[in-house]
Amino acid sequence: MLEQYFGYQPPLPEKQQRGYESASHKVLRWQNGNWPDNIYETDWDHVVGMFFVLSDIKRACPTLSSDVDIETAEHMIYLHDAGEILVGDLTHNRDDYYDLYNRWKSRERAAFRLLTKAIEDEGIKKQARELYKRYVVQDSSDKEALLTRLIDMDQGSRFGFRNVFHGKGMRRAEREMQFNHTMELLAKPTKPLLKLVSPSTQEGLKNFLKDDLGRFSQHGYTREAAYYIRNLDVILQ
């Protein structure tokens, strides 16, 4: 599907590729927190959704490929949640999220290393592990890792606002808390990324975010989205 729709070729041998994608289909997101039981999204849905987000960013930001290695970012998108195949997804809304976070992420990293042992080609194995490590480390000078994290957070926000924490069923204080949390997640990788790219790419990324904030307003967050759209340039300084 990714090759057909996005022209993307994963960095894994075909056997591991099929196994990884099949296993990702079985990992459910949003399932271990205080969300409704009918929320359904798999890790594979999330990966595909991230490729759609990347496509939207490229349309909003024609100069992106001059500043960022798109293929590297695509590989990171493809691999970034692979450890969850063995340990599952940790959703931020569960009561013990912060107590579990460091231990859970450590298990994810160990799981990724275990999964990649099956790759016989040492060069491919090394590449996959290096890409995964870059995404996890999130160095403030790593443009591809920062872009991938932005895309990761944005896809989760798109799905969440539409299907999980729809604002029309919330009080104003609850909506503000949810939107503030979302903006923190989006701004964290965006701020250092903007410092690493050209002015035209900076403008394109900001326009993309403003468009997505407008998208979120359709799900009961009109007041909150309007505030952040007006103040986005200041927030991202």
Side-chain angles (χ1 to χ4, degrees), residues 131-149:
L131 289 167
Y132 182 79
K133 182 178 180 180
R134 285 175 61 185
Y135 178 76
V136 170
V137 169
Q138 284 293 297
D139 188 286
S140 61
S141 64
D142 191 332
K143 293 179 287 188
E144 291 75 27
L146 293 168
L147 176 63
T148 304
R149 178 61 60 85

